[in-house]
Amino acid sequence: MHIAKSLKKSTMLYQSSSLSSAHGLTRKTLGTDPKVKKIIPTPEAAVVSIQAWWRGTLVRRTLLHAALRAWIIQSWWREHLARQLERRRRAALESYAQQEGAAVRLQAWARMWRVRRRFCRLVGAARIIQAYWRWRNCHTRGFIQGHYEVKEKQLNLQLEISLGSQACRVTQCVPLPINE
């Protein structure tokens, strides 16, 4: 590390005579060692080096501003693409959800129709069984049969109750309380 620093210093201090004379630099020998020479700039060379430094600073600043502007544009573009992708994803998700909802509704309607049809069949079968059962009960246990007539101010009622082999007839006249 120490050797590398000393090499840098020596290369900076020693330049060829063609470069130093072209830029207005003069060489002086330091101490007794003729290999190490110090370059002393002339006023014109100092001006040239300051101008070069300033131009380099301006170029670096311009490049920095251009890089920052490019970075801003690239960030905006990436954000724009991300928003666009999110919109597409959301639209695809909504479309998928709508299709799934429609499919679920269709399936529910089909299941409801099948269950309703089965229920109606069962209710029909239950009605048939009930009708046969009621008919059987009337013929084996008994039944009530009758009719009525309304004449002037009275109700004539005739009932026939049959219980298996026994039968009972009831005839009654009930006066109606009708005021004129």
Side-chain angles (χ1 to χ4, degrees), residues 12 14 18 31 34 38 52 79 97 116 119 135 141 148 163 170 178:
M12 288 175 65
Y14 182 76
S18 64
K38 183 179 180 183
E79 185 178 331
R116 183 176 170 83
F119 175 75
W135 180 82
R141 288 190 179 173
Y148 66 93
L163 295 168
V170 176
I178 300 176

Side-chain angles (χ1 to χ4, degrees), residues 10 26 57-58 61 85 91 108-109 112 120 147 157:
S10 66
T26 58
T57 302
L58 289 178
R61 186 183 303 164
L85 181 65
W109 287 341
M112 179 194 68
C120 288
H147 69 280
L157 186 63

Side-chain angles (χ1 to χ4, degrees), residues 62-76:
T62 305
L63 289 175
L64 177 66
H65 286 295
L68 287 175
R69 288 181 184 121
W71 178 73
I72 290 169
I73 292 170
Q74 289 169 354
S75 297
W76 173 84

Side-chain angles (χ1 to χ4, degrees), residues 74-87:
Q74 289 169 354
S75 297
W76 173 84
W77 182 249
R78 281 191 293 269
E79 185 178 331
H80 173 73
L81 289 178
R83 278 195 307 261
Q84 203 172 26
L85 181 65
E86 183 61 30
R87 268 190 243 121

